[in-house]
Amino acid sequence: MSQVSILGTGSCLPERVVPNSYFESIVETSDEWIVARTGIQERRMVLPGQAMSDLATPAAARALEMAGVAASELDLIVVGTSTADMLSPSCACIVQHNLGAKGAVAFDVNAACPGFIFGLSVAMRFLADGTYGRALVVGGEIVSQRIDYQDRATCVLFGDGAGAVVLGPRENPSQGQILSTHLHSDGDLWELLYVPGGGSRIPPSHEMVDKRLGVVKMQGQEVFKHAVRALSEAALEALEHNGLTSGQVDCFIPHQANLRIMEAVAKRLDIPLDKVMKTVHKYGNTSAATIPVALDEAVREGRVKRGDLVLCNSFGAGFTWGSALFRF
Ligand code: UT7
């Protein structure tokens, strides 16, 4: 198996900023509550008419530019999302069309919030065994269209965005390498976090909309407890697998769902907070986009440099969870 490097990163957030005060005007909540319980101050949301590929394509283009790879050189495009432009075809095929990546194989991975880590894992293996040479992995979500704006317990949490990486074979020692990825699922717990309507169980209908079934349903406290445990275990699994310790991590990029979860996980791992990358305060929970967006910002801000050891983890509906450990 050959070693695989992250050659470039990119991200794209919608321009529309939605502050906590917006929710004060539509549900019984307060900026104080949202900040104290989640750390979120504002989030980005798309405008009507904008779809997942409208964010995924510019994120991908920025990652390709940093990597110095042309779209025509891509062999594989994987998009981690559960909010593709359409039920069919995949968002990845639309991104392929937008980029002009004629020679690539393109498909989506639906693993909710960890969709990027799941997609990275799939793409990495295709590159490691030599099937493909250059891959684009996107994590993106437009959650703002799937939330119940009458449910204060969920509507304040989410935002939209997309992030991307370009992968290629490690060609010289100055390039980093993906050390390992670790994926998990527990379908027994799916009812704690799900979107009931819009699929084949409850197809789109007037009744589905009237009963507010096409939106996120979540038992927040239960999800919180499982998330802290699973995120910590997945991160430790990655470190142990590679014979490394948390003290060697240069940047920890946890799933950006709730600042309290991020801090609890960092504490369990004994990683100081100044090594924890945070975007949740300005973007909220962007589901599959949280990791690649935070990674791209960390790289462009110089917080993650070539050779740095980066640990990522994510947790979401399914339940699904996982981690990735790499030298950038
Ligand atoms: O990305 C997928 C993974 N998702 C997550 O990781 C989310 C995990 N869950 C959480 O982040 C937290 O559970 C929440 C932020 C969703 C909720 O925080 P909490 O500290 O667990 O609050 P709670 O659900 O225990 O609710 C406490 C109180 C309740 O009122 P009562 O019953 O004590 O009177 C809620 O009704 O806070 C109330 N509440 C709110 N109050 C003001 C719930 N949402 C709001 C709100 N504004 N937006």
Side-chain angles (χ1 to χ4, degrees):
M1 298 291 256
S2 357
Q3 295 170 344
V4 177
S5 300
I6 296 178
L7 305 179
T9 65
S11 59
C12 178
L13 280 303
E15 283 175 16
R16 182 177 156 224
V17 178
V18 180
N20 288 346
S21 55
Y22 167 73
F23 295 96
E24 291 178 331
S25 68
I26 60 167
V27 288
E28 203 182 318
T29 190
S30 65
D31 177 51
E32 291 72 30
W33 191 95
I34 302 169
V35 172
R37 308 304 283 178
T38 71
I40 299 166
Q41 295 163 15
E42 57 189 34
R43 71 289 289 140
R44 302 293 183 91
M45 290 188 181
V46 291
L47 295 167
Q50 281 186 298
M52 189 62 258
S53 66
D54 298 328
L55 303 181
T57 305
R62 285 165 199 158
L64 286 165
E65 190 187 6
M66 186 190 287
V69 170
S72 57
E73 294 176 83
L74 288 173
D75 303 304
L76 175 66
I77 299 175
V78 182
V79 178
T81 189
S82 49
T83 52
D85 297 33
M86 301 170 236
L87 281 180
S88 182
S90 67
C91 182
C93 283
I94 309 290
V95 171
Q96 176 191 22
H97 165 73
N98 292 346
L99 293 173
K102 204 78 180 154
V105 171
F107 57 87
D108 288 357
V109 167
N110 180 344
C113 297
F116 173 76
I117 290 181
F118 277 54
L120 184 78
S121 191
V122 170
M124 183 192 83
R125 279 161 177 77
F126 274 122
L127 266 59
D129 74 7
T131 306
Y132 299 123
R134 295 266 188 279
L136 169 72
V137 182
V138 181
E141 217 83 75
I142 297 195
V143 199
S144 64
Q145 298 164 345
R146 305 284 172 88
I147 51 184
D148 181 350
Y149 288 89
Q150 297 178 36
D151 176 12
R152 66 178 183 171
T154 54
C155 69
V156 301
L157 303 175
F158 297 98
D160 305 331
V165 296
V166 173
L167 306 180
R170 186 172 189 237
E171 281 163 352
N172 62 64
S174 68
Q175 292 178 328
Q177 72 180 100
I178 301 175
L179 298 172
S180 63
T181 58
H182 305 269
L183 311 181
H184 297 277
S185 307
D186 185 353
D188 289 346
L189 300 171
W190 69 268
E191 281 180 287
L192 295 174
L193 175 55
Y194 68 118
V195 178
S200 55
R201 178 75 56 200
I202 304 174
S205 66
H206 290 294
E207 191 189 4
M208 183 205 91
V209 175
D210 292 345
K211 289 186 171 170
R212 305 207 307 279
L213 294 175
V215 291
V216 172
K217 310 283 178 191
M218 180 169 73
Q219 293 184 35
Q221 271 190 14
E222 281 300 309
V223 176
F224 190 110
K225 276 187 283 184
H226 285 282
V228 171
R229 184 182 46 76
L231 287 164
S232 307
E233 286 176 6
L236 282 174
E237 184 182 10
L239 290 168
E240 281 167 18
H241 180 85
N242 292 286
L244 295 165
T245 64
S246 60
Q248 293 170 278
V249 172
D250 296 300
C251 184
F252 176 40
I253 306 182
H255 180 41
Q256 314 276 319
N258 183 323
L259 191 59
R260 288 189 294 141
I261 296 177
M262 293 160 60
E263 289 177 351
V265 172
K267 194 173 172 197
R268 283 184 178 210
L269 298 175
D270 202 17
I271 295 179
L273 291 180
D274 62 358
K275 288 193 175 174
V276 180
M277 185 64 194
K278 290 181 225 103
T279 60
V280 70
H281 57 292
K282 53 183 180 172
Y283 302 144
N285 180 352
T286 56
S287 184
T290 66
I291 302 297
V293 166
L295 172 63
D296 182 49
E297 292 208 359
V299 168
R300 285 173 197 270
E301 287 168 10
R303 283 193 64 171
V304 166
K305 294 177 282 305
R306 284 286 167 205
D308 280 358
L309 185 66
V310 181
L311 174 63
C312 308
N313 61 8
S314 188
F315 177 90
F319 286 150
T320 50
W321 66 99
S323 59
L325 187 65
F326 56 88
R327 288 213 176 268
F328 180 66

